[in-house]
Amino acid sequence: AIREAFKDWVFRDPERRLVLVAKYNQLFNSTRPREYDGSHLKFPGMTPDIELKTHQKNAVAHVLYGDNTLLAHCVGAGKTFEMTAAAMESKRLGLAQKSLYVVPNHLLEQWGSDFLRLYPGANILVATKKDFEPANRKRFCSRIATGDYDAVIIGHTQFEKIPLSRERQIAMLEDQIADITFSIEEAAHQAGQNYTIKQLEKTKKSLQARMKKLNDQTRKDDVVTFEQLGVDRLFVDESHSFKNLFLYTKMRNVAGISQTDAQKSSDMFMKCRYMDELTGGRGITFATGTPVSNSMTELYTIMRYLQYDTLMRMGMGHFDSWAATFGETVTAIEFAPLLEVQNNSSPYRNAQKRQSHKKL
């Protein structure tokens, strides 16, 4: 009732209405996303047996001419060929020198064969399990750094094993710790925020532990760092595997907000920030058939990977600012599945319970 009354009041005054409409148009109604047309692309070197479809050519044009790209096509739409063609055209046009593909471990061989099926003359390097065993990892990373490859294809877990330089990791962790410290100080001034402070303190301690580990010089590893690989375009297949990225929010008891943090996601975030610095926000392409599966925070996470500078420019560096702008918390009643034990011959049956909760 309060919300409806506010909606009625806020536009009642003509002057206030004009100010709000102008502000809305300036912030949200002034940008039209570019539509990319790839019909003119010829793809020299591609096998004549395969003809890319219209949507695939448009996707390649987006990667070539646009900023960081999300290929959120459904399964079977041809994302593999889109990324392959985009890398080869980028190299041919001088937009990139070396492309790195990060793909699920079990798809490494299939990716290699699909790449060569589309471009039989391509010079590619495909990682194997043995390449990332401790004894071989340094040599394999050196091959990536020194070779003139059209593309390098490695697995998700192998990607995580290639570290960023210690100095860059420390600088980024310091930024995150400063961010959390500010959030803790803000929460301390508000009543009923004990749970928030505890969660933030826990995250801060884990970051400080990682910082301490990085500062420890006793176990110095002289492996080739990610920056030394010479990679200037990054393609990530099945990017939803990296959806669990650290998140700070004051929202509590709201379904649809996930605060889980995975090390591989933090690692990917740091490397994406480096790629943005290197390419001016044009060198990353994510591909997934399920951009949002469980939580609305996954949309924000994708934007942090691919549009970090845009978020900061619009004042949405914190999740709560983004959620207040693009989301709405509603209280709804939903059926929740339960598993109940019965005494008859069938020991289990599915039951449903009506429960009310807040949802973003």
Side-chain angles (χ1 to χ4, degrees), residues 55 71-79 238 240 288-291:
H55 74 273
L71 303 174
H73 299 170
C74 61
V75 177
K79 294 188 287 292
E238 306 296 350
H240 55 266
T288 173
T290 52

Side-chain angles (χ1 to χ4, degrees), residues 83 102 156 234-239 242 268 284-287:
M83 289 191 279
V102 184
H156 283 177
L234 180 66
F235 293 88
V236 182
D237 192 25
E238 306 296 350
S239 60
F242 300 92
M268 174 64 78
I284 308 167
T285 301
F286 276 17

Side-chain angles (χ1 to χ4, degrees), residues 5-247:
F6 178 76
K7 282 180 184 175
D8 179 51
W9 170 84
V10 79
F11 286 108
R12 197 182 299 154
D13 184 290
E15 285 185 24
R16 184 166 56 232
R17 188 188 312 155
L18 284 172
V19 171
L20 288 171
V21 169
K23 187 73 173 173
Y24 175 85
N25 285 334
Q26 180 191 345
L27 284 174
F28 305 110
N29 208 22
S30 58
T31 306
R32 187 180 188 279
R34 177 178 172 181
E35 290 182 15
Y36 294 89
D37 180 8
S39 57
H40 64 285
L41 296 171
K42 300 299 179 193
F43 306 106
M46 184 185 289
T47 177
D49 300 338
I50 297 172
E51 172 70 26
L52 294 187
K53 293 183 168 61
T54 303
H55 74 273
Q56 291 177 302
K57 289 179 179 177
N58 294 345
V60 173
H62 191 163
V63 176
L64 294 176
Y65 310 139
D67 294 331
N68 294 338
T69 305
L70 173 68
L71 303 174
H73 299 170
C74 61
V75 177
K79 294 188 287 292
T80 302
F81 282 174
E82 288 170 3
M83 289 191 279
T84 302
M88 294 300 284
E89 278 297 279
S90 294
K91 180 146 189 181
R92 189 181 69 82
L93 296 169
L95 300 173
Q97 294 305 310
K98 194 182 293 180
S99 296
L100 179 68
Y101 289 82
V102 184
V103 308
N105 298 354
H106 65 283
L107 294 178
L108 275 167
E109 288 182 16
Q110 186 184 321
W111 252 93
S113 63
D114 283 346
F115 203 110
L116 292 174
R117 189 154 65 93
L118 192 64
Y119 282 89
N123 177 24
I124 65 172
L125 177 65
V126 183
T128 64
K129 272 187 181 178
K130 284 185 178 179
D131 287 325
F132 273 82
E133 288 174 0
N136 305 326
R137 193 185 312 159
K138 187 178 173 184
R139 186 174 60 196
F140 183 76
C141 289
S142 300
R143 283 177 66 194
I144 299 175
T146 56
D148 181 26
Y149 299 104
D150 294 324
V152 179
I153 303 172
I154 65 174
H156 283 177
T157 53
Q158 296 165 339
F159 180 69
E160 193 184 342
K161 287 174 183 171
I162 304 173
L164 278 162
S165 64
R166 205 174 60 84
E167 294 75 22
R168 185 173 293 275
Q169 288 187 63
I170 288 171
M172 289 186 177
L173 284 173
E174 281 173 348
D175 284 348
Q176 289 176 36
I177 290 169
D179 227 8
I180 292 179
T181 305
F182 176 74
S183 299
I184 290 170
E185 287 169 2
E186 270 201 331
H189 290 101
Q190 297 178 19
Q193 294 289 332
N194 286 346
Y195 179 75
T196 308
I197 293 170
K198 281 178 188 172
Q199 285 293 101
L200 290 171
E201 288 284 6
K202 188 179 172 185
T203 311
K204 185 178 175 180
K205 278 181 184 173
S206 71
L207 288 174
Q208 285 171 335
R210 277 167 62 189
M211 178 87 85
K212 191 178 177 183
K213 200 174 176 183
L214 284 169
N215 281 319
D216 183 11
Q217 294 290 310
T218 53
R219 191 186 56 82
K220 237 188 167 183
D221 198 359
D222 59 345
V223 294
V224 175
T225 63
F226 183 71
E227 295 98 313
Q228 293 169 332
L229 295 181
V231 169
D232 52 1
R233 204 173 266 282
L234 180 66
F235 293 88
V236 182
D237 192 25
E238 306 296 350
S239 60
H240 55 266
S241 302
F242 300 92
K243 65 186 178 185
N244 293 326
L245 185 61
F246 60 90
L247 187 76

Side-chain angles (χ1 to χ4, degrees), residues 306-320:
L306 301 178
Q307 292 182 296
Y308 185 82
D309 291 335
T310 304
L311 284 176
M312 300 307 282
R313 191 172 65 249
M314 294 178 74
M316 293 180 196
H318 285 90
F319 173 74
D320 291 0

Side-chain angles (χ1 to χ4, degrees), residues 336-342 346-353:
L338 287 174
L339 207 59
E340 289 187 355
V341 180
Q342 278 193 316
S346 174
Y348 298 104
R349 72 176 174 86
N350 283 323
Q352 288 185 320
K353 183 179 81 169

